[in-house]
Amino acid sequence: ARFARPSRARAMELFRSERMSLARVIVPEEAARDTIERVGELGVMQFQDLNSDTPAFKRAYSTQIRRADELLRRLRYFRDEARRATIAVARSRRRNATGRGSGATTTTTDELDHVTEELERDLAQALKNYERLMRTHSELMELQLVLEKAGGIFEESRADGGGRGGGDVDFRGTRSYDDVEGGGESLLPVASGGVGAATERRGEMGSRSGSYLEMAELDAAGSSGRGGDGASASSNSAAGASAVRLGFITGVILTNKVISFERILFRATRGNMFLKQSQILGTVVDPTTGEKCEKTVCVVFFAGERAREKIIKICEAFNVNRYPFPEDYTRQRQMYAECTARLVELQSTLDASTQHRDDVLRKVGDSLEDWIQIVLREKAIYHTMSMCSVDVTRKVLVAQAWIPDYALSSVQTALTDANHSSLASVGTIFQQIETKESPPTHFQTNKVTSVFQGIVDAYGVASYREVNPTVFTIVTFPFLFAVMFGDFGHGFLMLFAALYLVMNEKKLAASGLNEIIQMAFDGRYAILLMSIFSIYTGLLYNECFSVPMNWFGASKYVCDPNDPTASTTCDSAYKTGLVNNGDGAYAFGVDPIWHGSRSELPFLNSLKMKMSILMGVTQMMLGIFMSFLNQVYTNDKLSMYCEFFPQVIFLGALFGYLSLLILIKWCTPGSTADLYHVMIYMFLSPGNVDCAGEGEYGGPGCPENVLFPGQAGFQNFLLFLAFVAVPVMLFPKPYILKKRHEASRGGVRRGGVRYARLDAEDDDDEAFLQASDAENSSPSAEEEEEFDFGEIMVHQGIHTIEFVLGAVSNTASYLRLWALSLAHAQLSAVFWDRVFMGAVASGNVVAIVMGFAVWAFATIGVLMLMESLSAFLHALRLHWVEFNNKFFKGAGYAFVPFTFVGLSDKSDDA
C-alpha cells in the first residue's frame, strides 16, 4: 500500500513539527524482509538501533550485507570499465517516488549474484587478453622504432668509414609514430633486466645483446679492448690500425631521463662507454604503464663484461626497455618485416578483442544502473533488519520506530499487506508504546518552503513541537535582504536569473552542476522572493540603478515662494531648504526631489536609521512572543511569569519607547527633537526632558525634545519598570525550582520498572509485549539528573545578562540594515555617475561603449554578486542571532525515515 497524504491541507503545518509516536513492531521471521521493504517504500518510519552494543560483523544479517557489498563491488567494476571504454550506461528505470521499478524486469539478488559472477569472469578474461595484446603491440612498436632509429645510427657510423663521431648527434628517423597504442607479451623472451630485454642465448633474430662493430681510434688515449659479451675479435682487421670490437645495448628510455642516464653511465664506467641517441617524434605507449609518453632510442657502446653488467643494472634502474638489434643489415630488414607483419596481425586481434569487450560491457550497461538500485535496496533492507532485535525462540523480529501520527494507519495497512503476501503463519503485531524519550522533529515541506527550512536547520534543528521560525523566515528573510539591497533595476536583474532557474528546474536538476551553481539552484525560490522584495523596496526608495524615478507623480516640494530667486536658481534650496506645496506627502516611497540634493544623505540616513530600529524592535518583540507560544504549549507558567513578561517589559520600556518616539516625531510636523539626547538623559537625568536649567536665564535648554505632555513622568515610570524587570528575570525562577524539588523529594520512589500482572489465559506474545513495556516504560533512577541550585542560578544569571546586554547590542545590530542600504545606493551611484555618465558626457562613441561595458561588469560583478552575497549573510545573521535567540532552542534532531528514495552509490564520482 502506498501512503497518500491527506487531501485536505492542514493549517499551519510548518508552525510546529508533526506529532510523532514510538511504535513496536513484532514481525514473523518469514515476513521480515517483505515487511521492511513495504515500510521502506512508505518512507515514514525512523528505526531505532536495538543492537547498538553489537559489532556490525556479529549482527544477524551481516552475511547478507557482505553479499550486497560484494555485488556492489562487481557492479562498480563494470561501471568503471564501461566508462574507461566510453560505453554509455543506461539510466535507471527504478528511480521513482517509491523506488519500485517502472517497466524494469524483476530480478532477485540470487539471480543477480549468478549473472554478475559469470559476467565478471568473462569481462576479466577479456580485459586480461586485451591488456596482454596491447602490451605485445607496444613492445613491437618500440622494437620497430629501435630497428629504425638504431639502424640510422649504425648507417651513419659506417658512412664515417670508421672515423670518430662528431659528438653526440641526435639522429632522427624519417617516420613519425604519433599516438601509438601498444602493450602485450614480449616478442622475445624477457630477461630479468626488464621489459623486452634481450636474452643471453645465441640464436636467430639477433639474440645477442650486442655484437662487435669495427670502429677506429675511439679515444685520444688510444685505448683498445675487446667486447664484454664474449664475442671473438675480427680476423680481417685493417693493417696498421688498432681495431677494436665493442659490445652494445639498444633500448628505449624516457626522454626526460636521458641526461641523467648518460651522466650515471659515464660515472659508473669511468668514461669507458659511448652513448648514441635518437629521439622518437611524437609519443609512444609504454608497455609497462600503458601511458603515452615521449621516448628516445639509445645505443650504449661498451667494452668488457664488467661494464656490461653495470650498464644493465643502470638500465634496470632507469626503466630502459632493452631490445635485441642485429648488426647485419639483412637481419635488420628481416626483423623489421617480421615486426610489421606481427603488428598487422595483432591489430586485427586487438580489434576482435575490443569488440568482444565492448559487447560484454554493452550487455551489462543496459541494466547496470537498475542492478545497482536493486542491490542498494537489498543492502538498505538488511541493514535496517540488522537494527532489529531477533528473538530466536519465538522466531520473530522486534523493531522500534518513530512514526508521524498522520502515517499510522498507512503503516498498519502496509504491515498487514506484507504479512499476507509473505504467507506468514502468524500475524504482525503493531503496538504504540509510551516513552519519555524526545521524538525526532519532522516538518512537511515543499520545494519552496524547504529552502527556508534549510536556513533554519543550519542554525539548529527545532526541538519537538517547538515553534518553527521558518513560518516567519519565509517573509522576513527576503524582506530584510531587500531593505539592504533595494533597487528596482538590480531587483529585476535578480528576478530574471531566478525565473530562469525556476522555469528550467527540471532540465537543470537532471544535468550536473558545479558547486556554486548548485547552491544557487537549490535556493532558487529564495532568490525569487528576494528579487521581488528588492523590486518593492526599490520602488519605496524610488531608485533604479541609483537613478531617481518619478513614476508616482511630480515632487511635493517646491522652492520657497518668498525667495526672490524662486523662478531662477532658488538659492533658498541650499540654505533653508525646499518647502512642501501643501499637497501632502509623495504618493509612494521617497520623494525623488531628495536625490542629488545636498540634504540627500542627512535625510536618507535619518530615515533608514530610524526605519532599521523600528524593524529590529518589531522582529525581536516577535521572537519574545514566540517564546510565549512555546511556554503556553508546554504549560510552563513559571517561565511565562519569570521570563516572558519581564522581557517584554524591559524591551518595551527602553527600545519600544524609542520606537514610539520615532513615530511621534514623524507624525509631528516640523519636529526637531533629538532622540539621542532624549534617551541619554532618560538614564543620566530622569525626569529632565527639556534640559531644564541649561538654557538662557535658567530656562529649558532643549524644549523641542518634549513630544507629548507628561513625557517626563512616563519616562520615569518606564525606567522603573525596566529596572524591576531585571531582578524578576534573575531570582524567582531558581528559587521556585528549588522549592519544587524539595517538595518532590517527599515522595517515595518505587523504582523505574512497571510490572504488569498476567492472567492465566494470556498467551506468550502478550507476555512478551508486557515484559518489553516494563523495560521501557520509565527511566531508571540513574538517568535522572540531580538538582543543583548553584548551577541553575548561574544558568539563569547568564540568561538574564545575555538578554539585557543583547537588547542593546541586538538593536544596534539592526543598524546594519541602514549601513548596507546606504553603501549599496552610494556604490551604485558612483558606478552610474562616474563611470557610465562620465563616458556619456565625453561624447566619444568609443568611450561611451567602453564606459557602458565597465559599468555593466561592475554592476554584475560587484553589486549583483558581491553586494547580494553580503546582504544575504547579514540577513542570515539577523535571523540566527537577533531573532532566533529570543525563543528558539534548536535542541532537537531531524526525522530521518527509512526510505528507498535517493539511494545512491556513494563511491560514484560522476
Side-chain angles (χ1 to χ4, degrees), residues 276-288:
K276 284 286 190 178
Q277 56 177 302
S278 178
Q279 185 175 353
I280 300 172
L281 298 179
T283 58
V284 294
V285 178
D286 188 89
T288 305

PDB file of all heavy atoms in Angstrom, residues 276-288:
ATOM      1  N   LYS A 276      74.823   6.821 -28.025  1.00  0.00           N
ATOM      2  CA  LYS A 276      74.174   7.444 -29.157  1.00  0.00           C
ATOM      3  C   LYS A 276      72.664   7.444 -28.914  1.00  0.00           C
ATOM      4  O   LYS A 276      72.119   6.462 -28.386  1.00  0.00           O
ATOM      5  CB  LYS A 276      74.486   6.681 -30.460  1.00  0.00           C
ATOM      6  CG  LYS A 276      75.880   6.927 -31.006  1.00  0.00           C
ATOM      7  CD  LYS A 276      75.964   8.295 -31.634  1.00  0.00           C
ATOM      8  CE  LYS A 276      77.274   8.468 -32.393  1.00  0.00           C
ATOM      9  NZ  LYS A 276      77.345   9.778 -33.045  1.00  0.00           N
ATOM     10  N   GLN A 277      71.999   8.492 -29.300  1.00  0.00           N
ATOM     11  CA  GLN A 277      70.560   8.599 -29.035  1.00  0.00           C
ATOM     12  C   GLN A 277      69.854   9.224 -30.226  1.00  0.00           C
ATOM     13  O   GLN A 277      70.446   9.976 -31.004  1.00  0.00           O
ATOM     14  CB  GLN A 277      70.306   9.450 -27.797  1.00  0.00           C
ATOM     15  CG  GLN A 277      70.918  10.833 -27.881  1.00  0.00           C
ATOM     16  CD  GLN A 277      70.594  11.672 -26.660  1.00  0.00           C
ATOM     17  OE1 GLN A 277      69.424  11.882 -26.368  1.00  0.00           O
ATOM     18  NE2 GLN A 277      71.631  12.153 -25.974  1.00  0.00           N
ATOM     19  N   SER A 278      68.566   8.895 -30.339  1.00  0.00           N
ATOM     20  CA  SER A 278      67.722   9.456 -31.394  1.00  0.00           C
ATOM     21  C   SER A 278      66.307   9.545 -30.838  1.00  0.00           C
ATOM     22  O   SER A 278      65.696   8.519 -30.505  1.00  0.00           O
ATOM     23  CB  SER A 278      67.747   8.566 -32.648  1.00  0.00           C
ATOM     24  OG  SER A 278      66.890   9.116 -33.646  1.00  0.00           O
ATOM     25  N   GLN A 279      65.835  10.764 -30.723  1.00  0.00           N
ATOM     26  CA  GLN A 279      64.515  10.968 -30.117  1.00  0.00           C
ATOM     27  C   GLN A 279      63.406  10.558 -31.077  1.00  0.00           C
ATOM     28  O   GLN A 279      63.470  10.814 -32.269  1.00  0.00           O
ATOM     29  CB  GLN A 279      64.335  12.427 -29.713  1.00  0.00           C
ATOM     30  CG  GLN A 279      63.036  12.693 -28.967  1.00  0.00           C
ATOM     31  CD  GLN A 279      62.945  14.118 -28.464  1.00  0.00           C
ATOM     32  OE1 GLN A 279      63.917  14.856 -28.582  1.00  0.00           O
ATOM     33  NE2 GLN A 279      61.801  14.471 -27.922  1.00  0.00           N
ATOM     34  N   ILE A 280      62.383   9.924 -30.495  1.00  0.00           N
ATOM     35  CA  ILE A 280      61.222   9.494 -31.274  1.00  0.00           C
ATOM     36  C   ILE A 280      60.255  10.668 -31.390  1.00  0.00           C
ATOM     37  O   ILE A 280      59.911  11.311 -30.394  1.00  0.00           O
ATOM     38  CB  ILE A 280      60.526   8.303 -30.587  1.00  0.00           C
ATOM     39  CG1 ILE A 280      61.500   7.131 -30.461  1.00  0.00           C
ATOM     40  CG2 ILE A 280      59.276   7.878 -31.357  1.00  0.00           C
ATOM     41  CD1 ILE A 280      60.968   5.986 -29.627  1.00  0.00           C
ATOM     42  N   LEU A 281      59.829  10.933 -32.598  1.00  0.00           N
ATOM     43  CA  LEU A 281      58.869  12.014 -32.803  1.00  0.00           C
ATOM     44  C   LEU A 281      57.492  11.595 -32.299  1.00  0.00           C
ATOM     45  O   LEU A 281      57.060  10.464 -32.545  1.00  0.00           O
ATOM     46  CB  LEU A 281      58.794  12.382 -34.288  1.00  0.00           C
ATOM     47  CG  LEU A 281      60.092  12.919 -34.915  1.00  0.00           C
ATOM     48  CD1 LEU A 281      59.881  13.211 -36.395  1.00  0.00           C
ATOM     49  CD2 LEU A 281      60.553  14.172 -34.185  1.00  0.00           C
ATOM     50  N   GLY A 282      56.827  12.482 -31.611  1.00  0.00           N
ATOM     51  CA  GLY A 282      55.507  12.160 -31.081  1.00  0.00           C
ATOM     52  C   GLY A 282      55.610  11.378 -29.786  1.00  0.00           C
ATOM     53  O   GLY A 282      56.618  11.424 -29.071  1.00  0.00           O
ATOM     54  N   THR A 283      54.551  10.654 -29.458  1.00  0.00           N
ATOM     55  CA  THR A 283      54.500   9.876 -28.222  1.00  0.00           C
ATOM     56  C   THR A 283      54.274   8.411 -28.547  1.00  0.00           C
ATOM     57  O   THR A 283      53.707   8.059 -29.583  1.00  0.00           O
ATOM     58  CB  THR A 283      53.350  10.364 -27.313  1.00  0.00           C
ATOM     59  OG1 THR A 283      52.109  10.265 -28.016  1.00  0.00           O
ATOM     60  CG2 THR A 283      53.575  11.806 -26.893  1.00  0.00           C
ATOM     61  N   VAL A 284      54.738   7.576 -27.655  1.00  0.00           N
ATOM     62  CA  VAL A 284      54.512   6.136 -27.758  1.00  0.00           C
ATOM     63  C   VAL A 284      53.941   5.646 -26.440  1.00  0.00           C
ATOM     64  O   VAL A 284      54.052   6.313 -25.403  1.00  0.00           O
ATOM     65  CB  VAL A 284      55.825   5.385 -28.077  1.00  0.00           C
ATOM     66  CG1 VAL A 284      56.332   5.737 -29.450  1.00  0.00           C
ATOM     67  CG2 VAL A 284      56.881   5.683 -27.021  1.00  0.00           C
ATOM     68  N   VAL A 285      53.348   4.476 -26.475  1.00  0.00           N
ATOM     69  CA  VAL A 285      52.737   3.889 -25.288  1.00  0.00           C
ATOM     70  C   VAL A 285      53.754   3.008 -24.602  1.00  0.00           C
ATOM     71  O   VAL A 285      54.333   2.108 -25.222  1.00  0.00           O
ATOM     72  CB  VAL A 285      51.476   3.085 -25.650  1.00  0.00           C
ATOM     73  CG1 VAL A 285      50.873   2.439 -24.418  1.00  0.00           C
ATOM     74  CG2 VAL A 285      50.466   3.987 -26.337  1.00  0.00           C
ATOM     75  N   ASP A 286      53.979   3.256 -23.318  1.00  0.00           N
ATOM     76  CA  ASP A 286      54.921   2.444 -22.562  1.00  0.00           C
ATOM     77  C   ASP A 286      54.318   1.069 -22.301  1.00  0.00           C
ATOM     78  O   ASP A 286      53.190   0.976 -21.812  1.00  0.00           O
ATOM     79  CB  ASP A 286      55.262   3.133 -21.241  1.00  0.00           C
ATOM     80  CG  ASP A 286      56.375   2.420 -20.508  1.00  0.00           C
ATOM     81  OD1 ASP A 286      57.551   2.743 -20.747  1.00  0.00           O
ATOM     82  OD2 ASP A 286      56.066   1.538 -19.693  1.00  0.00           O
ATOM     83  N   PRO A 287      55.034  -0.007 -22.580  1.00  0.00           N
ATOM     84  CA  PRO A 287      54.461  -1.347 -22.376  1.00  0.00           C
ATOM     85  C   PRO A 287      54.161  -1.660 -20.909  1.00  0.00           C
ATOM     86  O   PRO A 287      53.257  -2.434 -20.621  1.00  0.00           O
ATOM     87  CB  PRO A 287      55.554  -2.276 -22.922  1.00  0.00           C
ATOM     88  CG  PRO A 287      56.393  -1.428 -23.811  1.00  0.00           C
ATOM     89  CD  PRO A 287      56.359  -0.055 -23.228  1.00  0.00           C
ATOM     90  N   THR A 288      54.911  -1.058 -20.002  1.00  0.00           N
ATOM     91  CA  THR A 288      54.727  -1.374 -18.592  1.00  0.00           C
ATOM     92  C   THR A 288      53.558  -0.623 -17.988  1.00  0.00           C
ATOM     93  O   THR A 288      52.701  -1.211 -17.318  1.00  0.00           O
ATOM     94  CB  THR A 288      56.006  -1.049 -17.807  1.00  0.00           C
ATOM     95  OG1 THR A 288      57.109  -1.743 -18.403  1.00  0.00           O
ATOM     96  CG2 THR A 288      55.870  -1.461 -16.350  1.00  0.00           C
TER      97      THR A 288
END
